[in-house]
Protein backbone atom coordinates (compact mmCIF):
# COMPACT_ATOMS: atom_id res chain seq x y z
CA UNK A 1 0.00 0.00 0.00
CA UNK A 2 1.50 3.39 -0.95
CA UNK A 3 2.29 5.87 1.79
CA UNK A 4 -0.46 8.43 2.37
CA UNK A 5 0.43 12.09 2.97
CA UNK A 6 0.02 12.55 6.70
CA UNK A 7 -1.71 15.93 6.42
CA UNK A 8 -4.79 14.54 4.67
CA UNK A 9 -5.01 11.21 6.50
CA UNK A 10 -4.38 12.82 9.87
CA UNK A 11 -7.25 15.22 9.20
CA UNK A 12 -9.58 12.27 8.56
CA UNK A 13 -8.71 10.60 11.86
CA UNK A 14 -8.78 13.87 13.79
CA UNK A 15 -12.32 14.49 12.53
CA UNK A 16 -13.54 10.97 13.35
CA UNK A 17 -12.02 10.55 16.82
CA UNK A 18 -14.77 12.53 18.63
CA UNK A 19 -17.39 10.72 16.52
CA UNK A 20 -16.26 7.43 18.11
CA UNK A 21 -17.32 8.58 21.57
CA UNK A 22 -20.58 10.03 20.29
CA UNK A 23 -21.73 6.86 18.52
CA UNK A 24 -20.89 4.63 21.49
CA UNK A 25 -22.69 6.94 23.93
CA UNK A 26 -25.78 7.00 21.71
CA UNK A 27 -26.18 3.21 21.67
CA UNK A 28 -25.14 2.57 25.28
CA UNK A 29 -23.03 -0.02 27.06
CA UNK A 30 -23.71 -2.81 24.55
CA UNK A 31 -21.96 -0.79 21.83
CA UNK A 32 -18.29 -0.45 21.00
CA UNK A 33 -16.80 1.79 18.31
CA UNK A 34 -13.23 1.27 17.06
CA UNK A 35 -11.25 3.56 14.77
CA UNK A 36 -8.39 1.93 12.81
CA UNK A 37 -5.46 3.63 11.10
CA UNK A 38 -3.97 1.15 8.63
CA UNK A 39 -0.76 3.14 8.26
CA UNK A 40 0.44 1.29 11.37
CA UNK A 41 -0.92 -2.18 10.76
CA UNK A 42 0.36 -3.77 13.96
CA UNK A 43 -1.02 -0.95 16.15
CA UNK A 44 -3.96 0.08 14.01
CA UNK A 45 -6.42 0.90 16.81
CA UNK A 46 -6.21 4.66 17.40
CA UNK A 47 -9.46 5.24 19.31
CA UNK A 48 -11.99 3.05 21.16
CA UNK A 49 -15.22 3.81 22.99
CA UNK A 50 -17.10 1.01 24.76
CA UNK A 51 -15.73 -2.39 25.80
CA UNK A 52 -17.55 -5.10 23.87
CA UNK A 53 -14.35 -6.78 22.63
CA UNK A 54 -11.98 -5.37 25.25
CA UNK A 55 -9.65 -3.66 22.80
CA UNK A 56 -7.66 -0.54 23.59
CA UNK A 57 -5.75 2.06 21.60
CA UNK A 58 -2.51 0.59 20.29
CA UNK A 59 -3.95 -2.89 19.66
CA UNK A 60 -3.62 -4.68 16.34
CA UNK A 61 -6.47 -5.19 13.90
CA UNK A 62 -8.77 -8.22 14.13
CA UNK A 63 -9.46 -10.86 11.49
CA UNK A 64 -12.10 -8.51 10.09
CA UNK A 65 -9.55 -5.72 9.72
CA UNK A 66 -7.15 -8.04 7.94
CA UNK A 67 -9.90 -8.95 5.50
CA UNK A 68 -10.64 -5.29 4.76
CA UNK A 69 -6.93 -4.55 4.33
CA UNK A 70 -6.57 -7.47 1.92
CA UNK A 71 -9.51 -6.19 -0.14
CA UNK A 72 -7.76 -2.85 -0.65
CA UNK A 73 -9.44 -0.85 -3.41
CA UNK A 74 -12.29 -3.38 -3.50
CA UNK A 75 -13.16 -2.92 0.20
CA UNK A 76 -16.78 -1.89 0.67
CA UNK A 77 -19.08 -1.03 3.59
CA UNK A 78 -20.20 -4.13 5.49
CA UNK A 79 -23.30 -3.24 7.48
CA UNK A 80 -25.10 -5.25 10.15
CA UNK A 81 -23.35 -8.61 9.76
CA UNK A 82 -23.35 -11.11 12.62
CA UNK A 83 -20.38 -12.88 14.16
CA UNK A 84 -19.50 -14.55 17.44
CA UNK A 85 -16.91 -13.36 19.91
CA UNK A 86 -14.61 -16.10 21.17
CA UNK A 87 -16.57 -16.26 24.44
CA UNK A 88 -19.75 -17.10 22.49
CA UNK A 89 -21.49 -13.71 22.57
CA UNK A 90 -23.32 -12.73 19.40
CA UNK A 91 -22.19 -9.43 17.90
CA UNK A 92 -23.83 -7.32 15.22
CA UNK A 93 -21.08 -5.44 13.42
CA UNK A 94 -20.62 -2.72 10.83
CA UNK A 95 -17.28 -2.03 9.15
CA UNK A 96 -16.82 1.17 7.13
CA UNK A 97 -13.57 1.49 5.15
CA UNK A 98 -11.97 4.95 5.26
CA UNK A 99 -10.23 6.46 2.26
CA UNK A 100 -7.97 9.38 1.47
CA UNK A 101 -9.03 12.00 -1.09
CA UNK A 102 -7.45 9.93 -3.88
CA UNK A 103 -9.35 6.79 -2.84
CA UNK A 104 -6.47 5.08 -1.02
CA UNK A 105 -7.64 2.82 1.83
CA UNK A 106 -6.28 4.33 5.06
CA UNK A 107 -8.35 2.72 7.83
CA UNK A 108 -11.79 1.69 9.01
CA UNK A 109 -14.51 2.74 11.43
CA UNK A 110 -16.08 -0.28 13.13
CA UNK A 111 -19.23 -0.52 15.24
CA UNK A 112 -19.78 -3.68 17.33
CA UNK A 113 -23.01 -4.25 19.26
CA UNK A 114 -23.46 -7.15 21.69
CA UNK A 115 -26.93 -8.50 20.85
CA UNK A 116 -26.75 -11.58 23.09
CA UNK A 117 -28.97 -10.00 25.77
CA UNK A 118 -31.48 -8.91 23.13
CA UNK A 119 -31.65 -12.45 21.76
CA UNK A 120 -32.21 -13.86 25.25
CA UNK A 121 -34.92 -11.28 25.97
CA UNK A 122 -36.62 -12.13 22.66
CA UNK A 123 -36.73 -15.78 23.69
CA UNK A 124 -38.23 -14.96 27.09
CA UNK A 125 -40.91 -12.72 25.56
CA UNK A 126 -41.75 -15.37 22.96
CA UNK A 127 -42.27 -17.92 25.74
CA UNK A 128 -44.44 -15.53 27.77
CA UNK A 129 -46.61 -14.67 24.77
CA UNK A 130 -46.89 -18.27 23.62
CA UNK A 131 -45.17 -17.51 20.33
CA UNK A 132 -42.86 -19.84 18.49
CA UNK A 133 -39.27 -19.26 19.52
CA UNK A 134 -37.40 -17.12 17.04
CA UNK A 135 -34.45 -18.85 15.48
CA UNK A 136 -31.21 -17.09 16.28
CA UNK A 137 -29.27 -16.40 13.11
CA UNK A 138 -25.59 -16.57 13.92
CA UNK A 139 -22.59 -17.77 11.93
CA UNK A 140 -20.88 -21.01 12.80
CA UNK A 141 -17.45 -19.41 13.14
CA UNK A 142 -16.20 -16.90 15.66
CA UNK A 143 -13.99 -13.85 15.19
CA UNK A 144 -10.78 -13.26 17.11
CA UNK A 145 -10.80 -9.64 18.32
CA UNK A 146 -7.51 -9.97 20.18
CA UNK A 147 -5.12 -7.05 20.00
CA UNK A 148 -2.25 -9.53 19.52
CA UNK A 149 -1.46 -10.44 15.91
CA UNK A 150 0.06 -13.78 16.90
CA UNK A 151 -3.28 -14.76 18.45
CA UNK A 152 -5.16 -13.63 15.35
CA UNK A 153 -2.90 -15.72 13.09
CA UNK A 154 -3.23 -18.65 15.49
CA UNK A 155 -7.04 -18.46 15.27
CA UNK A 156 -6.94 -18.54 11.47
CA UNK A 157 -4.61 -21.56 11.47
CA UNK A 158 -6.71 -23.39 14.09
CA UNK A 159 -9.79 -22.81 11.93
CA UNK A 160 -8.02 -24.54 9.05
CA UNK A 161 -7.06 -27.42 11.33
CA UNK A 162 -10.71 -27.90 12.29
CA UNK A 163 -11.76 -27.75 8.65
CA UNK A 164 -9.33 -30.53 7.72
CA UNK A 165 -9.72 -32.41 11.03
CA UNK A 166 -5.93 -32.80 11.29
CA UNK A 167 -3.12 -30.66 12.72
CA UNK A 168 -1.37 -28.43 10.18
CA UNK A 169 1.82 -30.44 10.59
CA UNK A 170 -0.02 -33.42 9.03
CA UNK A 171 -1.45 -31.55 6.03
CA UNK A 172 -0.49 -32.75 2.57
CA UNK A 173 1.00 -30.42 -0.01
CA UNK A 174 -2.31 -29.46 -1.63
CA UNK A 175 -4.04 -28.99 1.71
CA UNK A 176 -1.20 -26.77 2.93
CA UNK A 177 -1.39 -24.70 -0.25
CA UNK A 178 -5.12 -24.25 0.36
CA UNK A 179 -4.37 -23.07 3.91
CA UNK A 180 -1.67 -20.65 2.73
CA UNK A 181 -4.09 -19.36 0.09
CA UNK A 182 -6.76 -18.70 2.73
CA UNK A 183 -4.26 -16.86 4.95
CA UNK A 184 -3.11 -14.80 1.98
CA UNK A 185 -6.70 -13.90 1.07
CA UNK A 186 -7.29 -12.96 4.71
CA UNK A 187 -4.52 -10.36 4.44
CA UNK A 188 -2.12 -11.99 6.90
CA UNK A 189 0.97 -11.64 4.71
CA UNK A 190 0.52 -7.87 4.42
CA UNK A 191 1.76 -7.65 8.01
CA UNK A 192 5.40 -7.17 8.92
CA UNK A 193 6.95 -10.44 10.12
CA UNK A 194 3.90 -12.54 9.21
CA UNK A 195 5.76 -15.04 6.96
CA UNK A 196 8.07 -16.00 9.81
CA UNK A 197 5.13 -16.37 12.22
CA UNK A 198 3.14 -18.52 9.80
CA UNK A 199 6.10 -20.68 8.72
CA UNK A 200 6.90 -21.49 12.35
CA UNK A 201 3.27 -22.36 13.06
CA UNK A 202 3.08 -24.63 10.00
CA UNK A 203 6.36 -26.34 10.87
CA UNK A 204 8.06 -25.42 7.59
CA UNK A 205 10.95 -23.17 6.66
CA UNK A 206 10.40 -19.59 5.59
CA UNK A 207 11.81 -20.57 2.18
CA UNK A 208 9.19 -23.31 1.92
CA UNK A 209 6.45 -20.80 2.69
CA UNK A 210 7.76 -18.36 0.08
CA UNK A 211 7.75 -21.23 -2.44
CA UNK A 212 4.09 -21.88 -1.60
CA UNK A 213 3.24 -18.21 -2.10
CA UNK A 214 5.11 -18.15 -5.41
CA UNK A 215 3.17 -21.19 -6.61
CA UNK A 216 -0.13 -19.58 -5.64
CA UNK A 217 0.88 -16.45 -7.52
CA UNK A 218 1.49 -18.53 -10.66
CA UNK A 219 -2.02 -19.99 -10.37
CA UNK A 220 -3.59 -16.53 -10.12
CA UNK A 221 -5.03 -15.43 -13.49
Amino acid sequence: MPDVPSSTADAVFAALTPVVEGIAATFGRSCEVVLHDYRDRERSVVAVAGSVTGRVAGDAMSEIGLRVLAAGDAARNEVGYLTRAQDGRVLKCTTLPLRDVDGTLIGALCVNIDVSAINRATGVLSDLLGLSALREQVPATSTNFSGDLDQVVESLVERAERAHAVPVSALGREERLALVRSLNEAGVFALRGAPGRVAARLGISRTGLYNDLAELKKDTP
Side-chain angles (χ1 to χ4, degrees):
M1 181 184 301
D3 291 336
V4 178
S6 60
S7 58
T8 306
D10 287 347
V12 172
F13 294 112
L16 286 175
T17 297
V19 173
V20 168
E21 290 284 350
I23 295 174
T26 299
F27 288 96
R29 62 184 179 181
S30 294
C31 177
E32 171 190 81
V33 184
V34 184
L35 181 62
H36 290 275
D37 181 348
Y38 289 166
R39 293 175 298 172
D40 187 351
R41 298 171 180 179
E42 298 195 21
R43 295 173 56 85
S44 70
V45 178
V46 294
V48 183
S51 58
V52 171
T53 65
R55 282 176 294 175
V56 297
D59 276 352
M61 63 185 69
S62 69
E63 298 172 38
I64 296 169
L66 287 174
R67 185 179 71 235
V68 175
L69 185 62
D73 291 343
R76 296 292 181 267
N77 291 349
E78 300 180 41
V79 179
Y81 60 91
L82 296 178
T83 188
R84 279 190 183 275
Q86 288 188 293
D87 60 8
R89 288 175 299 141
V90 181
L91 308 183
K92 185 175 184 179
C93 304
T94 289
T95 301
L96 307 174
L98 303 175
R99 301 185 186 279
D100 191 28
V101 291
D102 65 356
T104 301
L105 181 69
I106 58 173
L109 181 66
C110 303
V111 181
N112 306 310
I113 299 177
D114 184 351
V115 296
S116 301
I118 296 173
N119 286 336
R120 289 193 295 271
T122 299
V124 171
L125 290 173
S126 295
D127 289 344
L128 289 174
L129 296 174
L131 302 176
S132 299
L134 299 177
R135 180 173 295 179
E136 183 180 310
Q137 297 179 352
V138 294
T141 59
S142 62
T143 297
N144 190 322
F145 289 102
S146 168
D148 185 316
L149 282 178
D150 285 329
Q151 291 186 25
V152 172
V153 172
E154 179 69 17
S155 291
L156 292 168
V157 174
E158 286 179 350
R159 190 172 301 161
E161 287 182 320
R162 290 193 297 271
H164 293 286
V166 293
V168 291
S169 58
L171 293 178
R173 168 72 171 165
E174 292 304 315
E175 292 170 327
R176 193 180 79 225
L177 279 174
L179 169 58
V180 173
R181 180 183 292 107
S182 68
L183 293 176
N184 190 42
E185 291 172 349
V188 169
F189 297 110
L191 301 169
R192 184 173 60 251
R197 290 184 177 113
V198 174
R201 182 61 177 80
L202 299 183
I204 62 176
S205 68
R206 197 176 309 194
T207 300
L209 178 61
Y210 284 131
N211 289 338
D212 287 349
L213 290 169
E215 184 161 338
L216 293 177
K217 189 174 182 179
K218 287 191 301 183
D219 294 339
T220 302

